[in-house]
């Protein structure tokens, strides 16, 4: 099997599976319990929180555990809007955000908020001039993703924050970091972001666990209420097993970050070079330089439908995606690919390849061979 759908989810590392299995046997107690087993569980949560805060170079008290990226985005955005709605009713985001952000924005528009959706260029990057012209004293929140999940474009987070604070220091800047966390460098303190979402299963950890960084200068109100776990921001008994596995995944990632990012970029570069040499009528929707994630390559194959090619590859045990896994079962064309002004045929023929530390150059060579054969077969039919 060759798995190139690592933006949708990753296979948990063996070390992560091991600590999860062990925790299900040994660490089953409720972390809120006062007895020894409960205190032991609480200690494991503290350890994982410290692994994550150390990686992000923030204080452990600024890290909150959630169920994943979607919940983190919802908590950050809704809490900010609930808190600041009397100051203004204007929000800024982009046209290529994840659905967990865009769907909240649609909800706020129905409630009378004004939402500005920033355009992106052909590489998926926003214009700082357009951002500058839209920030006002009414703007309470700017929500922009760090790395796009379909094409890998990296937004200039530090420059964006500097611009926001120059014009309106009271505006909160939330960053959806789900595809950037553990894959692309970002200093949260140096860049000055106010909140940042991340997820466990994108970095070889378990599903159902994520996190939210909130700068300690902010106090956000919860959007659901219960037993006041996570300092009251995210009530509900902690997903102890998930938190332990997440912590282990971050601990390993912290040691391997540069080595694995370099490996992924070498695979991406080799893959792109070979596709260009071997297959005609293609278009790269991802840049091959520092403006995109080393882990993501999106390519349009002309005269080919992406879902047909996906199944051709699947027959050979090669797994890819046509777009975001959260929207790939829908009937509408990718809003991200529309956002970078692709033609309909380019959107229909787009495939996203996402690499990991597990992939090898031999995997890339085999995938190119199967791609070439599959595309030739499909085009013989579509060009009749």
């Amino acid at each position: 099997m060759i798995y190139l759908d690592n933006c949708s989810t990753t296979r948990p590392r063996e070390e992560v599976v091991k600590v999860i299995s062990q925790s299900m046997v040994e660490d089953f107690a409720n972390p809120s319990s006062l007895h020894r087993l409960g205190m032991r569980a609480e200690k494991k949560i503290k350890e994982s929180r410290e692994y994550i805060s150390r990686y992000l170079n923030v204080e452990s008290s600024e890290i909150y555990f959630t169920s994943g990226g979607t919940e983190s985005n919802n908590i950050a955005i809704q809490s900010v809007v609930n808190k600041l709605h009397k100051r203004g009713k204007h929000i800024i985001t982009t046209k290529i955000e994840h659905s967990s952000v865009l769907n909240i924005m649609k909800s706020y528009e129905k409630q009378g908020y004004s939402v500005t959706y920033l355009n992106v260029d052909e590489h998926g990057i926003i214009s700082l001039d357009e951002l500058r012209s839209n920030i006002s004293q009414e703007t309470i929140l700017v929500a922009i993703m760090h790395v796009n999940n379909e094409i890998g474009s990296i937004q200039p987070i530090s420059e964006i924050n500097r611009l926001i604070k120059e014009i309106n220091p009271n505006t909160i800047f939330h960053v959806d970091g789900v595809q950037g966390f553990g894959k692309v460098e970002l200093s949260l303190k140096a860049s000055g972001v106010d909140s940042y979402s991340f997820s466990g299963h994108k970095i070889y950890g378990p599903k159902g666990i994520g996190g939210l960084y909130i700068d300690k200068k902010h106090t956000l109100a919860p959007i659901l209420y219960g037993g006041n776990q996570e300092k009251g921001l995210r009530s509900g008994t902690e997903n102890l097993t998930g938190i332990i596995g997440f912590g282990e995944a971050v601990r390993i990632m912290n040691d391997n970050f540069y080595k694995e990012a370099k490996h992924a970029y070498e695979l991406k570069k080799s893959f792109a070079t070979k596709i260009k040499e071997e297959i005609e009528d293609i278009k790269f929707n991802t840049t091959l330089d520092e403006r995109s994630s080393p882990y993501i390559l999106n390519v349009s194959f002309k005269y080919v439908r992406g879902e047909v090619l996906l199944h051709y590859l699947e027959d050979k045990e090669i797994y890819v995606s046509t777009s975001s896994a959260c929207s790939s079962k829908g009937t509408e064309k990718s809003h991200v690919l529309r956002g970078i002004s692709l033609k309909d045929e380019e959107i229909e023929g787009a495939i996203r390849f996402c690499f990991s530390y597990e992939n090898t150059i031999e995997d890339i060579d085999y995938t190119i061979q199967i791609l070439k054969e599959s595309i030739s077969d499909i085009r013989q039919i579509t060009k009749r």
Side-chain angles (χ1 to χ4, degrees), residues 253-272:
M253 180 187 72
N254 202 12
D255 292 339
N256 298 347
F257 178 88
Y258 293 105
K259 181 178 71 176
E260 293 183 359
K262 182 172 182 285
H263 176 68
Y265 179 65
E266 286 171 355
L267 293 178
K268 173 180 171 176
K269 194 168 58 170
S270 173
F271 194 64

Side-chain angles (χ1 to χ4, degrees), residues 212-269:
L212 176 64
Y213 157 80
I214 300 174
D215 190 295
K216 62 183 179 183
K217 65 178 177 279
H218 300 297
T219 302
L220 297 183
I223 59 173
L224 57 86
Y225 295 87
N228 289 328
Q229 288 86 352
E230 295 300 292
K231 294 185 285 185
L233 186 67
R234 202 277 183 180
S235 289
T237 302
E238 296 91 340
N239 175 3
L240 179 59
T241 300
I243 289 172
I244 291 172
F246 191 15
E248 179 68 0
V250 173
R251 187 190 66 77
I252 298 169
M253 180 187 72
N254 202 12
D255 292 339
N256 298 347
F257 178 88
Y258 293 105
K259 181 178 71 176
E260 293 183 359
K262 182 172 182 285
H263 176 68
Y265 179 65
E266 286 171 355
L267 293 178
K268 173 180 171 176
K269 194 168 58 170

Side-chain angles (χ1 to χ4, degrees), residues 279-282 300-304 374-384:
I279 303 173
E280 296 179 337
D281 294 322
I282 59 139
S300 291
F301 299 94
K302 204 172 178 183
Y303 312 118
V304 170
S374 301
I375 288 170
S376 176
D377 283 355
I378 296 168
R379 284 177 175 169
Q380 283 184 23
I381 298 168
T382 57
K383 284 186 168 181
R384 280 178 186 168

Side-chain angles (χ1 to χ4, degrees), residues 31 33 78 95 112 120 128 141 146-147 161 174 348 352 377:
S33 296
Q78 293 191 48
K95 291 182 177 178
V120 294
L128 293 178
L141 172 69
H146 183 200
V147 174
N161 185 67
H174 172 67
E348 288 167 0
R352 180 185 66 179
D377 283 355

Side-chain angles (χ1 to χ4, degrees), residues 23 27 29-33 37-53 60-61 63-66 209-210 229-231 236-248:
S23 78
D27 302 310
N30 190 320
S32 297
S33 296
L37 290 178
M39 292 174 69
R40 172 182 160 137
E42 187 182 21
K43 186 179 176 186
K44 292 291 180 76
I45 291 178
K46 184 180 178 185
E47 285 177 358
S48 291
R49 205 186 307 275
E50 286 177 353
Y51 286 141
I52 294 168
S53 64
S60 60
S61 61
I63 300 296
Y64 298 82
F65 287 112
T66 69
I209 185 69
Q229 288 86 352
E230 295 300 292
K231 294 185 285 185
T237 302
E238 296 91 340
N239 175 3
L240 179 59
T241 300
I243 289 172
I244 291 172
F246 191 15
E248 179 68 0

